[in-house]
Amino acid sequence: MNKEEYSTIKANIDQLQSRIDRAAVKAGRDPKEITLLAATKMNSAERVQAAISAGIRCCGENRVQELLDKYEQNAYAGSDLQFIGTLQTNKVKYLIGKVSLIQSVGSIHLGKAIAKEAAKKDIRQDILMEVNIGREEAKSGILPEDLFLAVEELSALPSLHIRGLMAIPPIADFKNGNTPYFQQMRQLYEKLGTLQSPNVHMDYLSMGMTDDFEEAIACGSNMIRLGTAIFGKRNY
Ligand SMILES: *Cc1c(COP(=O)(O)O)cnc(C)c1O
């Protein structure tokens, strides 16, 4: 990592922070209530450390193996670590004890697998329910109409703490095209917030990425997940 690479990441984060502040104020909200999570997939441990040096306090990984490799290299030192990607039940065990929050719980089946591994390690695992708000065939996540039953069922498991909702809406083909989805998410979030359960607290509404985070903040998001805007385009 050279100095220039670091300066670019730092400048990106500084600019983003002022955009977040402006979007929050415009929506009549306190900028401090919005968590900026760095989506670190495809970025080396060194680049992740650069982002943390530049002020990032929350990282999210997509793939278990990549997370374990970078974890070994101390990539996340100084930051909170979360999981945001598709998760197979047989890999859950590698995450428990390493991540503070699993954002991508898109089925009862996965929730139960997490509960089982967490119980083994005597951990109460924080999770978000992932909602397939755009009803896309190719995407994981619970359909809105199935969400309440899923939350009810998982809330009976003492090793889980349901902390909110996450969504990845369809790719919008025009500006503010995802507003209807974000608004629906906000409604689900608020409705679930009235549930009286010791294992359910709607603390996080995780939505908004590089192309639409200001729109998501306007609709009530309090956690945005940014990759490209921090690190630049990924080389797949
Ligand atoms: C990659 C990724 C992001 C960030 O996407 P960008 O468009 O690069 O900001 C956010 N959330 C999830 C789940 C991701 O996989």
Side-chain angles (χ1 to χ4, degrees), residues 25-71:
V25 168
K26 201 170 154 199
R29 305 176 52 198
D30 181 354
K32 286 200 283 293
E33 75 183 41
I34 294 160
T35 300
L36 166 56
L37 174 142
T40 47
K41 60 173 174 275
M42 316 281 298
N43 282 285
S44 66
E46 216 180 2
R47 287 170 64 79
V48 175
Q49 268 300 297
I52 294 168
S53 302
I56 289 295
R57 289 293 166 266
C58 184
C59 292
E61 280 293 348
N62 280 72
R63 293 194 178 84
V64 173
Q65 191 56 55
E66 188 178 338
L67 180 149
L68 295 175
D69 289 345
K70 285 191 234 170
Y71 194 90

Tab-separated table of all heavy atoms in Angstrom, residues 25-71:
chain	number	residue	atom	x	y	z
A	25	VAL	N	-29.143	15.591	7.994
A	25	VAL	CA	-29.709	16.887	8.398
A	25	VAL	C	-30.917	17.229	7.527
A	25	VAL	O	-31.954	17.672	8.021
A	25	VAL	CB	-28.626	17.997	8.336
A	25	VAL	CG1	-29.239	19.374	8.457
A	25	VAL	CG2	-27.583	17.756	9.427
A	26	LYS	N	-30.786	16.968	6.231
A	26	LYS	CA	-31.885	17.223	5.301
A	26	LYS	C	-33.139	16.426	5.691
A	26	LYS	O	-34.266	16.884	5.512
A	26	LYS	CB	-31.438	16.829	3.886
A	26	LYS	CG	-32.245	17.492	2.796
A	26	LYS	CD	-31.608	17.254	1.433
A	26	LYS	CE	-32.667	17.330	0.338
A	26	LYS	NZ	-32.200	16.689	-0.905
A	27	ALA	N	-32.909	15.233	6.229
A	27	ALA	CA	-34.042	14.386	6.630
A	27	ALA	C	-34.476	14.689	8.064
A	27	ALA	O	-35.320	13.980	8.625
A	27	ALA	CB	-33.669	12.913	6.474
A	28	GLY	N	-33.866	15.714	8.667
A	28	GLY	CA	-34.226	16.078	10.039
A	28	GLY	C	-33.714	15.078	11.058
A	28	GLY	O	-34.323	14.880	12.115
A	29	ARG	N	-32.601	14.440	10.743
A	29	ARG	CA	-32.075	13.405	11.633
A	29	ARG	C	-30.685	13.768	12.122
A	29	ARG	O	-29.982	14.552	11.504
A	29	ARG	CB	-32.050	12.065	10.888
A	29	ARG	CG	-33.419	11.716	10.329
A	29	ARG	CD	-33.386	10.456	9.522
A	29	ARG	NE	-32.779	9.371	10.277
A	29	ARG	CZ	-32.306	8.269	9.720
A	29	ARG	NH1	-32.348	8.112	8.419
A	29	ARG	NH2	-31.770	7.331	10.468
A	30	ASP	N	-30.291	13.135	13.230
A	30	ASP	CA	-28.964	13.344	13.787
A	30	ASP	C	-27.966	12.448	13.031
A	30	ASP	O	-28.127	11.234	13.024
A	30	ASP	CB	-28.991	12.973	15.276
A	30	ASP	CG	-27.639	13.185	15.943
A	30	ASP	OD1	-26.658	13.508	15.239
A	30	ASP	OD2	-27.577	13.025	17.174
A	31	PRO	N	-26.956	13.044	12.389
A	31	PRO	CA	-25.981	12.237	11.636
A	31	PRO	C	-25.334	11.137	12.490
A	31	PRO	O	-24.958	10.098	11.960
A	31	PRO	CB	-24.920	13.266	11.216
A	31	PRO	CG	-25.613	14.575	11.233
A	31	PRO	CD	-26.670	14.490	12.301
A	32	LYS	N	-25.254	11.385	13.771
A	32	LYS	CA	-24.594	10.403	14.641
A	32	LYS	C	-25.366	9.089	14.765
A	32	LYS	O	-24.822	8.081	15.180
A	32	LYS	CB	-24.374	11.002	16.044
A	32	LYS	CG	-23.241	12.028	16.070
A	32	LYS	CD	-22.696	12.246	17.462
A	32	LYS	CE	-23.586	13.118	18.330
A	32	LYS	NZ	-23.694	14.537	17.879
A	33	GLU	N	-26.626	9.115	14.405
A	33	GLU	CA	-27.403	7.869	14.523
A	33	GLU	C	-27.204	6.958	13.302
A	33	GLU	O	-27.737	5.858	13.250
A	33	GLU	CB	-28.896	8.163	14.749
A	33	GLU	CG	-29.647	8.630	13.515
A	33	GLU	CD	-31.106	8.973	13.812
A	33	GLU	OE1	-31.386	9.580	14.868
A	33	GLU	OE2	-31.959	8.640	12.986
A	34	ILE	N	-26.407	7.427	12.326
A	34	ILE	CA	-26.209	6.619	11.113
A	34	ILE	C	-24.831	5.950	11.121
A	34	ILE	O	-23.802	6.614	11.164
A	34	ILE	CB	-26.409	7.473	9.853
A	34	ILE	CG1	-27.885	7.907	9.804
A	34	ILE	CG2	-26.037	6.691	8.591
A	34	ILE	CD1	-28.159	9.084	8.956
A	35	THR	N	-24.839	4.630	11.111
A	35	THR	CA	-23.590	3.872	11.102
A	35	THR	C	-23.125	3.664	9.670
A	35	THR	O	-23.898	3.233	8.817
A	35	THR	CB	-23.798	2.486	11.764
A	35	THR	OG1	-24.228	2.688	13.100
A	35	THR	CG2	-22.512	1.669	11.761
A	36	LEU	N	-21.862	3.986	9.440
A	36	LEU	CA	-21.253	3.724	8.134
A	36	LEU	C	-20.469	2.418	8.221
A	36	LEU	O	-19.480	2.319	8.945
A	36	LEU	CB	-20.319	4.883	7.750
A	36	LEU	CG	-19.348	4.629	6.583
A	36	LEU	CD1	-20.067	4.214	5.314
A	36	LEU	CD2	-18.506	5.874	6.316
A	37	LEU	N	-20.965	1.413	7.522
A	37	LEU	CA	-20.267	0.123	7.470
A	37	LEU	C	-19.490	0.050	6.162
A	37	LEU	O	-20.030	0.348	5.102
A	37	LEU	CB	-21.281	-1.024	7.563
A	37	LEU	CG	-20.731	-2.449	7.375
A	37	LEU	CD1	-21.450	-3.420	8.323
A	37	LEU	CD2	-20.877	-2.955	5.944
A	38	ALA	N	-18.219	-0.323	6.268
A	38	ALA	CA	-17.411	-0.508	5.064
A	38	ALA	C	-17.596	-1.937	4.568
A	38	ALA	O	-17.310	-2.891	5.292
A	38	ALA	CB	-15.943	-0.242	5.365
A	39	ALA	N	-18.109	-2.081	3.359
A	39	ALA	CA	-18.242	-3.416	2.736
A	39	ALA	C	-16.879	-3.730	2.118
A	39	ALA	O	-16.501	-3.161	1.104
A	39	ALA	CB	-19.348	-3.401	1.682
A	40	THR	N	-16.159	-4.648	2.772
A	40	THR	CA	-14.727	-4.804	2.482
A	40	THR	C	-14.391	-5.933	1.503
A	40	THR	O	-13.212	-6.238	1.310
A	40	THR	CB	-13.967	-5.017	3.801
A	40	THR	OG1	-14.663	-6.005	4.570
A	40	THR	CG2	-13.876	-3.741	4.601
A	41	LYS	N	-15.404	-6.559	0.935
A	41	LYS	CA	-15.130	-7.695	0.035
A	41	LYS	C	-14.157	-7.311	-1.076
A	41	LYS	O	-14.218	-6.197	-1.592
A	41	LYS	CB	-16.424	-8.232	-0.575
A	41	LYS	CG	-17.209	-7.242	-1.396
A	41	LYS	CD	-18.383	-7.928	-2.105
A	41	LYS	CE	-19.263	-6.951	-2.822
A	41	LYS	NZ	-20.285	-6.321	-2.000
A	42	MET	N	-13.288	-8.240	-1.417
A	42	MET	CA	-12.290	-8.081	-2.479
A	42	MET	C	-11.191	-7.064	-2.143
A	42	MET	O	-10.356	-6.770	-2.989
A	42	MET	CB	-12.937	-7.642	-3.809
A	42	MET	CG	-14.207	-8.363	-4.196
A	42	MET	SD	-13.915	-9.989	-4.895
A	42	MET	CE	-12.986	-9.579	-6.354
A	43	ASN	N	-11.212	-6.520	-0.960
A	43	ASN	CA	-10.156	-5.593	-0.577
A	43	ASN	C	-9.218	-6.266	0.430
A	43	ASN	O	-9.670	-6.911	1.370
A	43	ASN	CB	-10.754	-4.310	0.000
A	43	ASN	CG	-11.274	-3.393	-1.087
A	43	ASN	OD1	-10.502	-2.745	-1.781
A	43	ASN	ND2	-12.585	-3.388	-1.280
A	44	SER	N	-7.938	-6.091	0.216
A	44	SER	CA	-6.918	-6.759	1.024
A	44	SER	C	-6.965	-6.295	2.476
A	44	SER	O	-7.503	-5.222	2.790
A	44	SER	CB	-5.534	-6.451	0.459
A	44	SER	OG	-5.271	-5.070	0.607
A	45	ALA	N	-6.361	-7.094	3.335
A	45	ALA	CA	-6.259	-6.741	4.750
A	45	ALA	C	-5.619	-5.364	4.916
A	45	ALA	O	-6.024	-4.568	5.762
A	45	ALA	CB	-5.431	-7.799	5.482
A	46	GLU	N	-4.646	-5.094	4.091
A	46	GLU	CA	-3.944	-3.815	4.154
A	46	GLU	C	-4.880	-2.646	3.838
A	46	GLU	O	-4.857	-1.611	4.503
A	46	GLU	CB	-2.833	-3.861	3.111
A	46	GLU	CG	-1.587	-3.147	3.530
A	46	GLU	CD	-0.524	-3.249	2.435
A	46	GLU	OE1	-0.795	-3.843	1.354
A	46	GLU	OE2	0.559	-2.729	2.678
A	47	ARG	N	-5.702	-2.833	2.829
A	47	ARG	CA	-6.640	-1.766	2.459
A	47	ARG	C	-7.737	-1.612	3.523
A	47	ARG	O	-8.192	-0.505	3.797
A	47	ARG	CB	-7.250	-2.048	1.074
A	47	ARG	CG	-6.231	-1.820	-0.041
A	47	ARG	CD	-6.714	-2.324	-1.385
A	47	ARG	NE	-7.898	-1.619	-1.887
A	47	ARG	CZ	-7.869	-0.422	-2.469
A	47	ARG	NH1	-6.723	0.201	-2.638
A	47	ARG	NH2	-8.972	0.145	-2.895
A	48	VAL	N	-8.121	-2.717	4.127
A	48	VAL	CA	-9.103	-2.639	5.214
A	48	VAL	C	-8.488	-1.866	6.384
A	48	VAL	O	-9.132	-0.979	6.958
A	48	VAL	CB	-9.550	-4.054	5.651
A	48	VAL	CG1	-10.474	-3.981	6.864
A	48	VAL	CG2	-10.250	-4.775	4.500
A	49	GLN	N	-7.237	-2.177	6.700
A	49	GLN	CA	-6.561	-1.446	7.776
A	49	GLN	C	-6.440	0.042	7.447
A	49	GLN	O	-6.570	0.894	8.330
A	49	GLN	CB	-5.176	-2.050	8.049
A	49	GLN	CG	-5.183	-3.119	9.131
A	49	GLN	CD	-5.669	-2.604	10.482
A	49	GLN	OE1	-5.055	-1.717	11.093
A	49	GLN	NE2	-6.786	-3.123	10.968
A	50	ALA	N	-6.224	0.352	6.194
A	50	ALA	CA	-6.142	1.763	5.784
A	50	ALA	C	-7.470	2.465	6.070
A	50	ALA	O	-7.500	3.585	6.590
A	50	ALA	CB	-5.783	1.863	4.309
A	51	ALA	N	-8.574	1.788	5.732
A	51	ALA	CA	-9.896	2.386	5.967
A	51	ALA	C	-10.135	2.593	7.462
A	51	ALA	O	-10.708	3.609	7.876
A	51	ALA	CB	-10.983	1.498	5.362
A	52	ILE	N	-9.673	1.640	8.264
A	52	ILE	CA	-9.854	1.768	9.716
A	52	ILE	C	-9.004	2.930	10.250
A	52	ILE	O	-9.476	3.734	11.049
A	52	ILE	CB	-9.548	0.421	10.412
A	52	ILE	CG1	-10.603	-0.618	9.995
A	52	ILE	CG2	-9.508	0.580	11.935
A	52	ILE	CD1	-10.265	-2.057	10.370
A	53	SER	N	-7.787	3.045	9.752
A	53	SER	CA	-6.944	4.195	10.139
A	53	SER	C	-7.604	5.508	9.744
A	53	SER	O	-7.437	6.525	10.408
A	53	SER	CB	-5.582	4.153	9.446
A	53	SER	OG	-4.920	2.978	9.753
A	54	ALA	N	-8.358	5.478	8.654
A	54	ALA	CA	-9.004	6.697	8.159
A	54	ALA	C	-10.355	6.948	8.817
A	54	ALA	O	-11.064	7.867	8.429
A	54	ALA	CB	-9.160	6.614	6.648
A	55	GLY	N	-10.734	6.124	9.790
A	55	GLY	CA	-11.927	6.433	10.571
A	55	GLY	C	-13.059	5.415	10.555
A	55	GLY	O	-14.037	5.578	11.271
A	56	ILE	N	-12.940	4.374	9.732
A	56	ILE	CA	-13.998	3.353	9.695
A	56	ILE	C	-14.012	2.564	11.009
A	56	ILE	O	-12.971	2.146	11.501
A	56	ILE	CB	-13.777	2.407	8.486
A	56	ILE	CG1	-14.072	3.134	7.174
A	56	ILE	CG2	-14.610	1.129	8.614
A	56	ILE	CD1	-15.520	3.565	6.978
A	57	ARG	N	-15.209	2.373	11.557
A	57	ARG	CA	-15.334	1.652	12.821
A	57	ARG	C	-16.193	0.398	12.714
A	57	ARG	O	-16.494	-0.264	13.701
A	57	ARG	CB	-15.910	2.577	13.908
A	57	ARG	CG	-14.942	3.647	14.359
A	57	ARG	CD	-13.740	3.043	15.095
A	57	ARG	NE	-12.652	3.993	15.257
A	57	ARG	CZ	-11.612	4.118	14.427
A	57	ARG	NH1	-11.500	3.337	13.366
A	57	ARG	NH2	-10.676	5.006	14.638
A	58	CYS	N	-16.601	0.084	11.493
A	58	CYS	CA	-17.496	-1.049	11.289
A	58	CYS	C	-17.240	-1.629	9.903
A	58	CYS	O	-17.311	-0.915	8.911
A	58	CYS	CB	-18.925	-0.508	11.414
A	58	CYS	SG	-20.169	-1.754	11.311
A	59	CYS	N	-16.874	-2.917	9.868
A	59	CYS	CA	-16.596	-3.584	8.594
A	59	CYS	C	-17.568	-4.734	8.381
A	59	CYS	O	-17.964	-5.407	9.330
A	59	CYS	CB	-15.173	-4.164	8.574
A	59	CYS	SG	-13.883	-2.912	8.572
A	60	GLY	N	-17.913	-4.978	7.132
A	60	GLY	CA	-18.790	-6.100	6.807
A	60	GLY	C	-18.183	-6.935	5.696
A	60	GLY	O	-17.747	-6.387	4.689
A	61	GLU	N	-18.143	-8.250	5.911
A	61	GLU	CA	-17.623	-9.155	4.881
A	61	GLU	C	-18.757	-9.989	4.280
A	61	GLU	O	-19.778	-10.221	4.926
A	61	GLU	CB	-16.571	-10.107	5.459
A	61	GLU	CG	-15.189	-9.502	5.617
A	61	GLU	CD	-14.479	-9.155	4.298
A	61	GLU	OE1	-14.936	-9.567	3.212
A	61	GLU	OE2	-13.453	-8.450	4.380
A	62	ASN	N	-18.515	-10.470	3.064
A	62	ASN	CA	-19.503	-11.256	2.340
A	62	ASN	C	-19.246	-12.748	2.327
A	62	ASN	O	-20.164	-13.524	2.151
A	62	ASN	CB	-19.532	-10.832	0.873
A	62	ASN	CG	-20.318	-9.596	0.681
A	62	ASN	OD1	-19.862	-8.529	1.070
A	62	ASN	ND2	-21.515	-9.715	0.154
A	63	ARG	N	-17.967	-13.113	2.383
A	63	ARG	CA	-17.652	-14.530	2.252
A	63	ARG	C	-16.893	-15.011	3.469
A	63	ARG	O	-15.972	-14.341	3.946
A	63	ARG	CB	-16.815	-14.776	0.989
A	63	ARG	CG	-17.605	-14.520	-0.275
A	63	ARG	CD	-16.911	-15.074	-1.493
A	63	ARG	NE	-17.723	-14.839	-2.682
A	63	ARG	CZ	-17.705	-13.701	-3.374
A	63	ARG	NH1	-16.898	-12.728	-3.019
A	63	ARG	NH2	-18.490	-13.561	-4.424
A	64	VAL	N	-17.288	-16.200	3.935
A	64	VAL	CA	-16.714	-16.726	5.171
A	64	VAL	C	-15.205	-16.939	5.021
A	64	VAL	O	-14.428	-16.509	5.877
A	64	VAL	CB	-17.418	-18.037	5.586
A	64	VAL	CG1	-16.720	-18.679	6.769
A	64	VAL	CG2	-18.885	-17.765	5.912
A	65	GLN	N	-14.795	-17.582	3.916
A	65	GLN	CA	-13.366	-17.871	3.761
A	65	GLN	C	-12.532	-16.597	3.701
A	65	GLN	O	-11.468	-16.494	4.323
A	65	GLN	CB	-13.128	-18.739	2.518
A	65	GLN	CG	-11.710	-19.301	2.436
A	65	GLN	CD	-11.332	-20.103	3.685
A	65	GLN	OE1	-12.031	-21.034	4.069
A	65	GLN	NE2	-10.235	-19.733	4.345
A	66	GLU	N	-13.047	-15.625	2.980
A	66	GLU	CA	-12.318	-14.353	2.870
A	66	GLU	C	-12.216	-13.673	4.237
A	66	GLU	O	-11.169	-13.126	4.604
A	66	GLU	CB	-13.043	-13.450	1.862
A	66	GLU	CG	-12.280	-12.186	1.534
A	66	GLU	CD	-12.982	-11.318	0.486
A	66	GLU	OE1	-13.826	-11.838	-0.288
A	66	GLU	OE2	-12.673	-10.115	0.448
A	67	LEU	N	-13.290	-13.750	4.986
A	67	LEU	CA	-13.274	-13.171	6.339
A	67	LEU	C	-12.226	-13.868	7.210
A	67	LEU	O	-11.447	-13.204	7.906
A	67	LEU	CB	-14.668	-13.285	6.959
A	67	LEU	CG	-14.873	-12.736	8.369
A	67	LEU	CD1	-16.306	-12.233	8.546
A	67	LEU	CD2	-14.567	-13.752	9.470
A	68	LEU	N	-12.194	-15.200	7.136
A	68	LEU	CA	-11.255	-15.940	7.993
A	68	LEU	C	-9.805	-15.617	7.607
A	68	LEU	O	-8.949	-15.427	8.480
A	68	LEU	CB	-11.518	-17.448	7.894
A	68	LEU	CG	-12.874	-17.917	8.429
A	68	LEU	CD1	-13.075	-19.406	8.176
A	68	LEU	CD2	-13.032	-17.608	9.924
A	69	ASP	N	-9.553	-15.539	6.309
A	69	ASP	CA	-8.196	-15.205	5.848
A	69	ASP	C	-7.761	-13.833	6.366
A	69	ASP	O	-6.663	-13.665	6.884
A	69	ASP	CB	-8.144	-15.193	4.308
A	69	ASP	CG	-8.255	-16.594	3.730
A	69	ASP	OD1	-8.093	-17.572	4.490
A	69	ASP	OD2	-8.524	-16.706	2.515
A	70	LYS	N	-8.644	-12.867	6.217
A	70	LYS	CA	-8.271	-11.502	6.627
A	70	LYS	C	-8.244	-11.365	8.145
A	70	LYS	O	-7.455	-10.601	8.693
A	70	LYS	CB	-9.246	-10.492	6.010
A	70	LYS	CG	-9.003	-10.262	4.531
A	70	LYS	CD	-9.796	-9.067	4.051
A	70	LYS	CE	-10.645	-9.428	2.873
A	70	LYS	NZ	-11.592	-8.345	2.535
A	71	TYR	N	-9.103	-12.130	8.799
A	71	TYR	CA	-9.131	-12.132	10.274
A	71	TYR	C	-7.757	-12.568	10.801
A	71	TYR	O	-7.207	-11.974	11.721
A	71	TYR	CB	-10.220	-13.089	10.742
A	71	TYR	CG	-10.601	-12.973	12.203
A	71	TYR	CD1	-11.617	-12.113	12.600
A	71	TYR	CD2	-9.947	-13.725	13.174
A	71	TYR	CE1	-11.981	-12.014	13.942
A	71	TYR	CE2	-10.305	-13.623	14.510
A	71	TYR	CZ	-11.321	-12.772	14.876
A	71	TYR	OH	-11.680	-12.667	16.202
